[in-house]
Amino acid sequence: MATRIEFSQHGGPDVLKAVEFTPTDPAADEVQIENKAIGINYIDTYVRSGLYPSPVMPCGIGTEAAGIVIKAGSLVTHLKPGDRVVYAQASPGAYSTVHNVMADKVARLPNAISFEQAAASFLKGLTVFYLLRKTYEIKPGEIFLFHAAAGGVGLIACQWAKALGAQLIGTVGSPEKAEKAKRAGAWQTINYRQENIAERVSELTGGEKVAVVYDSVGKATWEASLDSLQRRGLMVSFGNASGPVTGVNLGILNQKGSLYVTRPSLFGYVTNKEELEEASNELFSLIASGVIKVDVPQSQKFPLHEAARAHETLESRATSGSSLLIP
């Protein structure tokens, strides 16, 4: 028997329940993984709440974990039982002691990286990879704006930007989070509770503003993000932490300087085994060399059966960096 977290209706954290189940054998193109550490991501709260509705109930939750392959399907040639692995694009159900995952969505994990480091960084690290390397390629010396710089994605972005020789301006919600982002490599921070974001971006850039803004906050920062952009700048909206951006009048992009907007996701950038290898190899090399550090506070590691408490904590904005479920 194994244990997983599932929900039978959309709602608050309390809809998450631990249930026992008997794992099925992996399909021919799948591997079965015994999870050792499970990543908690803000997108999981969108799935649970119904912002991203689940068509079938009851539904598992979570797409990211690290662990050990215990069974491999008959068509799988690049992975075998005993391999240390990590994944971030599984079908929902990673909040589980055992999970079957498409083998092409699984990366072999170097020995230099722990299961906890991997589960805390893989989805977030792949996200930073596609944002900074593919959606818009950040150049050395470039100044850009990144919202929620002390979050799980943000702290990796701060470190990655520093490694690229770029200057990241990060928005944060407290002096403590500002200090955390600065330590990670942010060039400057803006406390959005106390400062006008667009005005500060203009001040920090000598009136030039920035060519690209990365915004995972959504509704609350939409206008400020557009107002921070140079003429023909790119607004990269990749999350909805404050609610989705809706009812956009395209004329505003003209008024604010012939701006571009894109709404990317990892699934548009990492679509096959080769793309996964390219992204994970770059991420793993940065983590293994210590350029990107992944530290999860003990207070942000939760037993699997306390998934509801983990979601409450995440949504309260009381966390910084990554959080984990430990089976």
Side-chain angles (χ1 to χ4, degrees):
M1 292 294 285
T3 303
R4 71 178 169 210
I5 303 296
E6 62 181 40
F7 58 96
S8 297
Q9 63 185 58
H10 293 295
D14 58 313
V15 302
L16 299 177
K17 307 295 181 188
V19 300
E20 300 295 306
F21 74 105
T22 302
T24 58
D25 284 336
D29 56 356
E30 291 181 332
V31 289
Q32 186 170 93
I33 298 167
E34 181 184 350
N35 291 332
K36 299 296 185 182
I38 300 161
I40 304 171
N41 295 286
Y42 217 92
I43 193 171
D44 301 342
T45 70
Y46 302 161
V47 172
R48 186 212 71 225
S49 69
L51 180 63
Y52 295 171
S54 301
V56 178
M57 296 287 184
C59 182
I61 186 168
T63 62
E64 175 186 39
I68 297 172
V69 175
I70 51 178
K71 292 181 181 179
S74 59
L75 298 180
V76 178
T77 57
H78 65 290
L79 296 169
K80 63 185 186 306
D83 282 348
R84 301 172 77 253
V85 293
V86 60
Y87 59 90
Q89 295 173 290
S91 57
Y95 286 20
S96 177
T97 54
V98 173
H99 195 35
N100 292 345
V101 184
M102 289 282 293
D104 283 355
K105 302 295 186 185
V106 176
R108 191 179 282 106
L109 185 63
N111 290 331
I113 300 173
S114 72
F115 293 123
E116 290 191 1
Q117 285 177 309
S121 66
F122 200 50
L123 179 61
K124 299 171 183 70
L126 294 182
T127 298
V128 174
F129 170 82
Y130 86 72
L131 290 173
L132 272 55
R133 308 290 282 145
K134 299 292 183 179
T135 304
Y136 177 101
E137 189 171 358
I138 295 295
K139 311 293 193 301
E142 184 158 21
I143 302 173
F144 65 100
L145 180 65
F146 202 102
H147 287 289
V153 172
L155 288 175
I156 292 174
C158 289
Q159 296 174 81
W160 209 315
K162 186 177 179 181
L164 292 171
Q167 295 173 291
L168 181 149
I169 303 170
T171 65
V172 294
S174 70
E176 294 75 23
K177 289 190 174 184
E179 181 58 33
K180 199 154 196 170
K182 281 276 192 73
R183 283 200 306 269
W187 173 60
Q188 299 283 350
T189 58
I190 299 171
N191 186 332
Y192 63 81
R193 298 185 196 278
Q194 300 173 349
E195 300 174 283
N196 181 295
I197 293 170
E199 286 178 6
R200 280 293 289 144
V201 168
S202 186
E203 288 172 14
L204 290 167
T205 58
E208 292 290 312
K209 302 188 180 180
V210 294
V212 62
V213 174
Y214 297 99
D215 190 338
S216 62
V217 178
K219 184 178 179 180
T221 50
W222 170 251
E223 289 271 353
S225 292
L226 297 182
D227 288 337
S228 299
L229 285 166
Q230 299 169 359
R231 183 166 55 98
R232 299 200 303 270
L234 174 63
M235 163 67 166
V236 183
S237 176
F238 70 101
N240 318 287
S242 69
V245 177
T246 57
V248 176
N249 173 8
L250 290 179
I252 199 172
L253 304 180
N254 170 30
Q255 295 163 20
K256 293 182 182 293
S258 297
L259 303 178
Y260 295 88
V261 175
T262 184
R263 180 60 174 88
S265 76
L266 180 62
F267 295 92
Y269 284 86
V270 177
T271 64
N272 56 44
K273 183 165 162 283
E274 290 69 35
E275 289 172 346
L276 179 62
E277 284 179 357
E278 179 194 8
S280 59
N281 286 345
E282 187 163 338
L283 173 63
F284 291 158
S285 68
L286 291 170
I287 295 174
S289 64
V291 171
I292 289 179
K293 294 179 172 58
V294 184
D295 299 311
V296 180
Q298 199 60 40
S299 62
Q300 290 175 212
K301 297 178 186 178
F302 302 86
L304 178 60
H305 66 272
E306 292 187 13
R309 184 167 71 88
H311 274 218
E312 286 171 8
T313 306
L314 184 65
E315 291 180 301
S316 74
R317 309 263 188 224
T319 65
S320 65
S322 301
S323 299
L324 293 173
L325 293 172
I326 306 298

